[in-house]
Amino acid sequence: MGEFNVALIPGDGIGPEIVAGAVTVLDAVSSKYGHKFNYTEVYMGGCAIDKYGVPLPQETIDICKKSDSVLLGAVGGPKWDSQPSENRPEKGLLGIRKALGLYSNLRPSILKPQLKDASPLKDEKLKNGLNVMVVRELTGGIYFGKREKGADWASDEEKYSVEEVKRIGKIAFETAMLRGKRVVSVDKANVLESSRLWRATMEQISKDYPEVTLTHMYVDNAAMQLAINPAQFDVIVTSNIFGDILSDLSSAIAGSIGMLPSASLGATKCGMYEPIHGSAPDIAGQDIANPIATIVSAAMMLEMSFGLIDEAKAINDAVDKVLNEKYRTTDIMSEGMTKVGCKKMAELIAENL
Ligand code: NAD
């Protein structure tokens, strides 16, 4: 039996609904296995701008830093689109990753057989399945580089140090050791100097992992390969911006973005776990959002930050059971299925633990 302090950041849009769904399931884990989860809810994003005038209040950073882990819904929405760029909700997201030193983002995309119809790819492209882990560098590169703007020009700098590439590479190789032992490093080394440094550093790290096969792919080819033969990938490791794009693509292939989790990790066990989707303002407050991505993000938190492997598996099994029983939220609905809302879906998963 363990006791864990979890900082909850519901955020904006559907954030509060999906985080409430994850808490329903975590409470069921707590009853079944006797663990105690102490939740502290904090503000970030648009709701924090409304309350404190800034997207990331110091209090939020302090509480997250003191917690064993952070569970996030999503931030942002049209209400805050007119904010100046330094005060937009997304700044909260970038800021908390930086403050917690979360330099890697792990996004598993697995095609569930029950949801094959939700994938935009034809059956023949999916016959070998899809089980890819995208490992994205999260606190460097162009999203954090120098920004400049003149009267008729603008620029954003893509800069990586060897150290930054090494630490994300290490995570990718360690991850591959627990999976299929294949890493594809994605870059644009035919054009970008930063990519050439990335590639050389990956080659260097690979010497410490003789069991893992390392190959390199240009990002344009990687996007095409994901669309035509997704089963070829085991672990993809790439920079912040390329990872942003490729992980959305791999998620889309797996079906609804409402299904997929992510983990952001750094040097310590304290990670931040969140669904890959945004705050979906178009469906907020209607109890129709899919809470599964957030619920399986909570499962990743149990496994990766708290070492609760059986409990994480129990959540994933419960999700499968509910899908096998043909319950669906609107985004994954198809003929012959039973439509349920966000709250009900979370309750069903909790009951099936
Ligand atoms: P989005 O992911 O919020 O929504 C895209 C589409 O997917 C919408 O039609 C939405 O209804 C649907 N969708 C998303 N999650 C769903 C779920 N759980 N269940 C059912 N349907 C779901 O992306 P967007 O519309 O580009 O962005 C909306 C806002 O979210 C923006 O302000 C954006 O900046 C923000 N955003 C936040 C994060 C984050 O907090 N990590 C990530 C991406 C976007």
Side-chain angles (χ1 to χ4, degrees):
M1 282 198 305
E3 185 169 346
F4 305 95
N5 297 319
V6 181
L8 296 178
I9 309 181
D12 308 313
I14 59 171
E17 301 163 55
I18 54 179
V19 168
V23 168
T24 300
V25 175
L26 284 174
D27 285 345
V29 169
S30 172
S31 317
K32 183 169 177 190
Y33 293 89
H35 302 302
K36 191 164 178 229
F37 300 114
N38 305 313
Y39 308 110
T40 310
E41 219 171 284
V42 290
Y43 286 81
M44 193 177 90
C47 59
I49 296 173
D50 289 349
K51 193 171 159 69
Y52 298 96
V54 289
L56 181 61
Q58 187 58 42
E59 188 189 47
T60 296
I61 297 177
D62 294 342
I63 289 172
C64 290
K65 276 187 167 170
K66 272 191 235 147
S67 301
D68 297 310
S69 223
V70 181
L71 185 65
L72 166 70
V75 298
K79 184 179 173 193
W80 303 280
D81 277 351
S82 56
Q83 286 285 325
S85 68
E86 67 282 0
N87 210 43
R88 288 178 62 94
E90 297 78 16
K91 276 276 167 190
L93 208 51
L94 299 183
I96 193 76
R97 287 172 183 161
K98 199 88 186 169
L100 297 177
L102 305 173
Y103 56 78
S104 67
N105 184 242
L106 276 69
R107 276 199 197 183
S109 288
I110 300 171
L111 182 74
K112 286 190 181 287
Q114 304 96 325
L115 298 180
K116 221 169 76 185
D117 292 346
S119 172
L121 292 193
K122 289 185 190 143
D123 277 2
E124 64 174 271
K125 305 270 186 239
L126 296 171
K127 60 179 187 292
N128 297 322
L130 165 75
N131 186 347
V132 58
M133 178 73 88
V134 178
V135 178
R136 167 188 169 195
E137 200 289 325
L138 204 57
T139 52
I142 199 164
Y143 292 171
F144 288 89
K146 195 157 99 190
R147 280 182 228 309
E148 288 182 287
K149 190 174 178 335
D152 59 354
W153 61 274
S155 81
D156 301 275
E157 180 185 56
E158 170 86 352
K159 186 174 179 178
Y160 272 111
S161 70
V162 170
E163 205 38 56
E164 282 174 311
V165 182
K166 259 191 187 160
R167 64 187 188 182
I168 189 73
K170 196 167 178 316
I171 294 220
F173 279 89
E174 295 285 344
T175 305
M177 285 295 287
L178 302 171
R179 298 172 45 102
K181 300 196 170 115
R182 286 179 292 119
V183 171
V184 176
S185 173
V186 172
D187 60 38
K188 191 72 185 169
N190 49 343
V191 180
L192 302 175
E193 202 55 64
S194 53
S195 280
R196 287 193 271 275
L197 178 118
W198 180 281
R199 193 175 275 218
T201 308
M202 287 296 162
E203 279 295 331
Q204 197 66 36
I205 305 164
S206 75
K207 292 186 180 134
D208 296 335
Y209 299 88
E211 285 176 61
V212 178
T213 308
L214 170 68
T215 50
H216 303 277
M217 215 178 254
Y218 297 136
V219 63
D220 38 353
N221 185 28
M224 186 175 75
Q225 293 298 329
L226 267 171
I228 60 179
N229 181 14
Q232 71 183 284
F233 294 103
D234 176 27
V235 173
I236 290 177
V237 61
T238 191
S239 63
N240 204 342
I241 186 167
F242 295 160
D244 194 4
I245 298 161
L246 291 183
S247 54
D248 266 22
L249 177 57
S250 62
S251 314
I253 294 168
S256 165
I257 58 169
M259 297 291 301
L260 298 172
S262 79
S264 299
L265 303 169
T268 70
K269 282 258 170 224
C270 175
M272 189 163 82
Y273 299 84
E274 60 181 301
I276 64 150
H277 57 73
S279 61
D282 52 332
I283 58 166
Q286 298 173 37
D287 191 34
I288 57 170
N290 187 346
I292 293 178
T294 317
I295 289 168
V296 290
S297 297
M300 278 184 101
M301 173 176 83
L302 298 189
E303 181 176 343
M304 303 180 95
S305 281
F306 304 160
L308 303 177
I309 292 163
D310 291 346
E311 291 81 342
K313 186 172 181 307
I315 293 179
N316 284 307
D317 289 349
V319 168
D320 280 340
K321 214 161 156 210
V322 171
L323 293 174
N324 288 339
E325 285 167 5
K326 301 191 182 332
Y327 290 107
R328 300 284 190 271
T329 43
T330 310
D331 56 314
I332 49 171
M333 187 61 193
S334 59
E335 222 181 300
M337 304 291 141
T338 308
K339 198 195 276 188
V340 292
C342 178
K343 190 164 185 284
K344 182 71 186 168
M345 178 56 93
E347 286 167 359
L348 285 166
I349 293 166
E351 282 162 22
N352 275 283
L353 264 178

CSV table of all heavy atoms in Angstrom, one decimal, residues 186-213:
chain,number,residue,atom,x,y,z
A,186,VAL,N,14.6,10.4,-36.1
A,186,VAL,CA,14.1,11.2,-37.3
A,186,VAL,C,14.7,12.6,-37.2
A,186,VAL,O,14.6,13.2,-36.2
A,186,VAL,CB,12.5,11.2,-37.2
A,186,VAL,CG1,12.0,12.2,-38.2
A,186,VAL,CG2,12.0,9.8,-37.4
A,187,ASP,N,15.2,13.0,-38.4
A,187,ASP,CA,15.8,14.4,-38.4
A,187,ASP,C,15.6,14.9,-39.8
A,187,ASP,O,14.9,14.4,-40.7
A,187,ASP,CB,17.2,14.3,-38.0
A,187,ASP,CG,18.1,13.4,-38.9
A,187,ASP,OD1,17.8,13.3,-40.1
A,187,ASP,OD2,18.9,12.6,-38.4
A,188,LYS,N,16.3,16.0,-40.1
A,188,LYS,CA,16.4,16.6,-41.5
A,188,LYS,C,17.9,16.9,-41.7
A,188,LYS,O,18.2,18.1,-42.0
A,188,LYS,CB,15.5,17.8,-41.5
A,188,LYS,CG,15.2,18.3,-42.9
A,188,LYS,CD,14.3,17.5,-43.7
A,188,LYS,CE,14.3,18.0,-45.2
A,188,LYS,NZ,13.6,17.1,-46.1
A,189,ALA,N,18.7,15.9,-41.5
A,189,ALA,CA,20.2,16.1,-41.6
A,189,ALA,C,20.7,16.4,-43.0
A,189,ALA,O,21.8,16.9,-43.1
A,189,ALA,CB,20.9,14.8,-41.1
A,190,ASN,N,19.9,16.3,-44.0
A,190,ASN,CA,20.3,16.7,-45.3
A,190,ASN,C,20.3,18.2,-45.5
A,190,ASN,O,20.8,18.7,-46.4
A,190,ASN,CB,19.5,16.0,-46.4
A,190,ASN,CG,18.0,16.1,-46.2
A,190,ASN,OD1,17.5,16.4,-45.1
A,190,ASN,ND2,17.2,15.9,-47.2
A,191,VAL,N,19.6,18.9,-44.5
A,191,VAL,CA,19.4,20.3,-44.6
A,191,VAL,C,19.9,21.1,-43.4
A,191,VAL,O,20.6,22.1,-43.5
A,191,VAL,CB,17.9,20.7,-44.9
A,191,VAL,CG1,17.8,22.2,-45.0
A,191,VAL,CG2,17.4,20.0,-46.1
A,192,LEU,N,19.6,20.5,-42.2
A,192,LEU,CA,19.8,21.3,-41.0
A,192,LEU,C,21.1,20.9,-40.2
A,192,LEU,O,21.3,19.7,-40.0
A,192,LEU,CB,18.6,21.1,-40.0
A,192,LEU,CG,17.2,21.5,-40.6
A,192,LEU,CD1,16.1,21.2,-39.6
A,192,LEU,CD2,17.2,23.0,-40.9
A,193,GLU,N,21.8,21.9,-39.8
A,193,GLU,CA,23.0,21.6,-39.0
A,193,GLU,C,22.7,21.0,-37.7
A,193,GLU,O,23.3,20.0,-37.2
A,193,GLU,CB,23.8,23.0,-38.8
A,193,GLU,CG,25.2,22.9,-38.5
A,193,GLU,CD,26.0,22.1,-39.5
A,193,GLU,OE1,26.1,22.5,-40.7
A,193,GLU,OE2,26.6,21.0,-39.2
A,194,SER,N,21.6,21.5,-37.1
A,194,SER,CA,21.2,20.9,-35.8
A,194,SER,C,20.8,19.4,-35.9
A,194,SER,O,21.1,18.6,-35.0
A,194,SER,CB,20.0,21.7,-35.2
A,194,SER,OG,19.0,21.8,-36.2
A,195,SER,N,20.3,19.1,-37.1
A,195,SER,CA,20.0,17.6,-37.3
A,195,SER,C,21.2,16.8,-37.5
A,195,SER,O,21.2,15.6,-37.1
A,195,SER,CB,19.1,17.5,-38.6
A,195,SER,OG,17.8,17.8,-38.3
A,196,ARG,N,22.3,17.4,-38.1
A,196,ARG,CA,23.5,16.6,-38.2
A,196,ARG,C,24.1,16.3,-36.9
A,196,ARG,O,24.6,15.3,-36.6
A,196,ARG,CB,24.5,17.4,-39.1
A,196,ARG,CG,24.0,17.3,-40.6
A,196,ARG,CD,25.1,17.8,-41.6
A,196,ARG,NE,25.1,19.2,-41.8
A,196,ARG,CZ,24.3,19.8,-42.7
A,196,ARG,NH1,23.5,19.1,-43.5
A,196,ARG,NH2,24.4,21.1,-42.9
A,197,LEU,N,24.0,17.3,-36.0
A,197,LEU,CA,24.5,17.1,-34.6
A,197,LEU,C,23.6,16.0,-33.9
A,197,LEU,O,24.1,15.1,-33.2
A,197,LEU,CB,24.4,18.4,-33.8
A,197,LEU,CG,24.9,18.3,-32.3
A,197,LEU,CD1,26.1,19.2,-32.1
A,197,LEU,CD2,23.8,18.6,-31.4
A,198,TRP,N,22.4,16.1,-34.1
A,198,TRP,CA,21.4,15.1,-33.6
A,198,TRP,C,21.8,13.7,-34.0
A,198,TRP,O,21.9,12.8,-33.2
A,198,TRP,CB,20.0,15.5,-34.1
A,198,TRP,CG,18.9,14.6,-33.6
A,198,TRP,CD1,18.6,13.4,-34.1
A,198,TRP,CD2,18.0,14.9,-32.5
A,198,TRP,NE1,17.5,12.8,-33.4
A,198,TRP,CE2,17.2,13.7,-32.4
A,198,TRP,CE3,17.8,15.9,-31.6
A,198,TRP,CZ2,16.1,13.6,-31.4
A,198,TRP,CZ3,16.8,15.8,-30.6
A,198,TRP,CH2,16.0,14.7,-30.6
A,199,ARG,N,22.0,13.6,-35.3
A,199,ARG,CA,22.3,12.2,-35.9
A,199,ARG,C,23.6,11.7,-35.3
A,199,ARG,O,23.7,10.5,-34.9
A,199,ARG,CB,22.3,12.3,-37.4
A,199,ARG,CG,22.3,11.0,-38.1
A,199,ARG,CD,22.2,11.2,-39.6
A,199,ARG,NE,20.9,11.3,-40.1
A,199,ARG,CZ,20.4,10.8,-41.2
A,199,ARG,NH1,21.2,10.0,-42.0
A,199,ARG,NH2,19.1,11.0,-41.6
A,200,ALA,N,24.6,12.5,-35.3
A,200,ALA,CA,25.9,12.1,-34.8
A,200,ALA,C,25.8,11.7,-33.4
A,200,ALA,O,26.4,10.7,-32.9
A,200,ALA,CB,27.0,13.2,-35.0
A,201,THR,N,25.1,12.4,-32.6
A,201,THR,CA,24.9,12.1,-31.1
A,201,THR,C,24.2,10.8,-30.9
A,201,THR,O,24.5,10.0,-30.1
A,201,THR,CB,24.2,13.3,-30.4
A,201,THR,OG1,24.9,14.5,-30.8
A,201,THR,CG2,24.3,13.1,-28.9
A,202,MET,N,23.1,10.6,-31.7
A,202,MET,CA,22.4,9.3,-31.6
A,202,MET,C,23.3,8.1,-31.9
A,202,MET,O,23.3,7.1,-31.3
A,202,MET,CB,21.2,9.3,-32.6
A,202,MET,CG,20.1,10.2,-32.2
A,202,MET,SD,19.3,9.7,-30.6
A,202,MET,CE,18.5,11.1,-30.2
A,203,GLU,N,24.2,8.3,-32.9
A,203,GLU,CA,25.1,7.2,-33.3
A,203,GLU,C,26.0,6.9,-32.1
A,203,GLU,O,26.3,5.8,-31.8
A,203,GLU,CB,26.0,7.7,-34.5
A,203,GLU,CG,25.3,7.5,-35.8
A,203,GLU,CD,25.1,6.0,-36.2
A,203,GLU,OE1,25.8,5.1,-35.7
A,203,GLU,OE2,24.1,5.8,-36.9
A,204,GLN,N,26.4,8.0,-31.4
A,204,GLN,CA,27.3,7.9,-30.3
A,204,GLN,C,26.6,7.1,-29.2
A,204,GLN,O,27.2,6.1,-28.6
A,204,GLN,CB,27.6,9.3,-29.8
A,204,GLN,CG,28.8,9.5,-28.9
A,204,GLN,CD,30.1,9.1,-29.6
A,204,GLN,OE1,30.2,9.4,-30.7
A,204,GLN,NE2,31.0,8.5,-28.9
A,205,ILE,N,25.4,7.5,-28.9
A,205,ILE,CA,24.7,6.8,-27.8
A,205,ILE,C,24.4,5.3,-28.1
A,205,ILE,O,24.5,4.5,-27.2
A,205,ILE,CB,23.3,7.4,-27.5
A,205,ILE,CG1,23.4,8.9,-27.3
A,205,ILE,CG2,22.5,6.8,-26.3
A,205,ILE,CD1,22.1,9.7,-27.4
A,206,SER,N,24.2,5.0,-29.4
A,206,SER,CA,23.8,3.7,-29.8
A,206,SER,C,24.9,2.7,-29.4
A,206,SER,O,24.7,1.5,-29.2
A,206,SER,CB,23.5,3.6,-31.2
A,206,SER,OG,24.7,3.6,-32.0
A,207,LYS,N,26.2,3.2,-29.3
A,207,LYS,CA,27.3,2.3,-28.9
A,207,LYS,C,27.1,1.7,-27.5
A,207,LYS,O,27.6,0.6,-27.2
A,207,LYS,CB,28.6,3.1,-28.9
A,207,LYS,CG,29.0,3.5,-30.3
A,207,LYS,CD,30.4,4.1,-30.4
A,207,LYS,CE,30.7,4.5,-31.8
A,207,LYS,NZ,31.2,5.8,-31.9
A,208,ASP,N,26.3,2.4,-26.7
A,208,ASP,CA,26.1,1.8,-25.3
A,208,ASP,C,24.9,0.8,-25.3
A,208,ASP,O,24.6,0.2,-24.3
A,208,ASP,CB,25.7,3.0,-24.3
A,208,ASP,CG,26.8,4.0,-24.1
A,208,ASP,OD1,28.0,3.5,-24.3
A,208,ASP,OD2,26.5,5.1,-23.8
A,209,TYR,N,24.2,0.7,-26.4
A,209,TYR,CA,23.1,-0.2,-26.5
A,209,TYR,C,23.3,-1.2,-27.7
A,209,TYR,O,22.5,-1.1,-28.7
A,209,TYR,CB,21.8,0.6,-26.6
A,209,TYR,CG,21.5,1.4,-25.5
A,209,TYR,CD1,22.0,2.8,-25.4
A,209,TYR,CD2,20.8,1.0,-24.4
A,209,TYR,CE1,21.8,3.6,-24.3
A,209,TYR,CE2,20.6,1.8,-23.3
A,209,TYR,CZ,21.1,3.1,-23.3
A,209,TYR,OH,20.9,3.9,-22.2
A,210,PRO,N,24.2,-2.1,-27.7
A,210,PRO,CA,24.5,-2.9,-28.8
A,210,PRO,C,23.3,-3.8,-29.2
A,210,PRO,O,23.2,-4.2,-30.4
A,210,PRO,CB,25.7,-3.8,-28.3
A,210,PRO,CG,25.7,-3.7,-26.9
A,210,PRO,CD,25.1,-2.4,-26.5
A,211,GLU,N,22.4,-4.1,-28.3
A,211,GLU,CA,21.2,-4.9,-28.7
A,211,GLU,C,20.2,-4.1,-29.5
A,211,GLU,O,19.3,-4.7,-30.1
A,211,GLU,CB,20.5,-5.4,-27.4
A,211,GLU,CG,21.3,-6.5,-26.7
A,211,GLU,CD,20.6,-6.9,-25.4
A,211,GLU,OE1,19.4,-7.3,-25.5
A,211,GLU,OE2,21.2,-6.7,-24.4
A,212,VAL,N,20.3,-2.8,-29.5
A,212,VAL,CA,19.2,-2.0,-30.1
A,212,VAL,C,19.7,-1.6,-31.5
A,212,VAL,O,20.8,-1.1,-31.7
A,212,VAL,CB,18.9,-0.7,-29.3
A,212,VAL,CG1,17.9,0.1,-30.0
A,212,VAL,CG2,18.4,-1.1,-27.9
A,213,THR,N,18.8,-1.8,-32.5
A,213,THR,CA,19.2,-1.4,-33.9
A,213,THR,C,18.8,0.1,-34.1
A,213,THR,O,17.6,0.4,-33.9
A,213,THR,CB,18.4,-2.2,-34.9
A,213,THR,OG1,18.6,-3.6,-34.6
A,213,THR,CG2,18.8,-2.0,-36.3
